[in-house]
């Protein structure tokens, strides 16, 4: 079955981010209100005064559509979006759709929390300066 997409456009100080959501899928396939609130906070003066995006690396856990991390990348951060393997194509689609707005860099990776808990080696990623988490859901069965 082919996934169909619904696009949502969000306005920020740097312009617009267009985020695709899927019509079929689990919790990571849609933009949740908490992600919108955190993205707007990152784009606001309180966060910008305390953090330099140009010199900061970000890891978004449970990124889903990637709205929060893409906001940080649009502001100049070096961002890694992470989630389960099934969400990588959606994150990549959203990175590609917004590359003209990104002042920083953005990539995606599979991150399975249970693998980390059971000793998987994550030495291939540099420790991020800032970890972003928004309405992050973990199902033990996954």
């Amino acid at each position: 079955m082919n996934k169909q997409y619904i696009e949502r456009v969000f306005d920020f100080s740097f312009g617009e981010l267009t985020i695709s959501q899927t019509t079929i899928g689990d919790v990571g396939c849609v933009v949740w209100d908490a992600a919108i609130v955190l993205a707007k906070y990152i784009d606001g003066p309180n966060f910008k005064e305390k953090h330099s995006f140009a010199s900061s690396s970000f890891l978004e856990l449970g990124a889903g559509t990637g709205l929060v991390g893409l906001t940080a990348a649009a502001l100049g951060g070096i961002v890694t979006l992470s989630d389960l393997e099934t969400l990588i194509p959606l994150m990549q689609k959203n990175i590609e759709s917004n590359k003209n707005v990104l002042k920083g860099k953005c990539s995606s990776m599979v991150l399975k929390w249970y693998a980390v808990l059971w000793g998987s080696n994550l030495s291939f990623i540099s420790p991020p300066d800032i970890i972003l988490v928004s309405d992050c859901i973990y199902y033990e069965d996954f």
Side-chain angles (χ1 to χ4, degrees):
M1 179 182 293
N2 289 341
K3 289 188 178 183
Q4 294 183 357
Y5 296 97
I6 298 169
E7 290 188 348
R8 294 183 66 186
V9 178
F10 298 93
D11 291 318
F12 292 97
S13 66
F14 51 79
E16 295 180 341
L17 285 176
T18 301
I19 303 294
S20 293
Q21 304 179 133
T22 61
T23 57
I24 298 170
D26 205 354
V27 294
C29 297
V30 297
V31 177
W32 291 87
D33 289 346
I36 299 168
V37 171
L38 182 54
K40 293 290 186 175
Y41 176 75
I42 289 170
D43 189 37
N46 290 333
F47 193 88
K48 288 178 182 176
E49 287 173 9
K50 296 176 184 165
H51 303 283
S52 168
F53 285 92
S55 62
S56 295
S57 62
F58 296 80
L59 171 64
E60 184 178 2
L61 298 175
T65 62
L67 174 64
V68 176
L70 284 165
T71 302
L75 291 164
I78 300 166
V79 179
T80 302
L81 308 176
S82 71
D83 213 314
L84 297 175
E85 189 171 4
T86 57
L87 292 164
I88 298 297
L90 180 59
M91 288 189 287
Q92 282 302 128
K93 178 176 178 48
N94 286 328
I95 292 169
E96 191 63 29
S97 296
N98 292 288
K99 66 181 179 182
N100 62 321
V101 184
L102 304 183
K103 291 180 186 168
K105 296 180 182 178
C106 193
S107 61
S108 65
M109 67 173 280
V110 175
L111 181 59
K112 297 177 182 176
W113 294 357
Y114 66 83
V116 174
L117 293 172
W118 298 112
S120 175
N121 184 355
L122 289 179
S123 61
F124 59 90
I125 16 177
S126 301
D129 297 311
I130 298 171
I131 295 175
L132 301 169
V133 182
S134 167
D135 213 2
C136 200
I137 297 171
Y138 171 80
Y139 293 131
E140 190 171 340
D141 292 345
F142 286 172

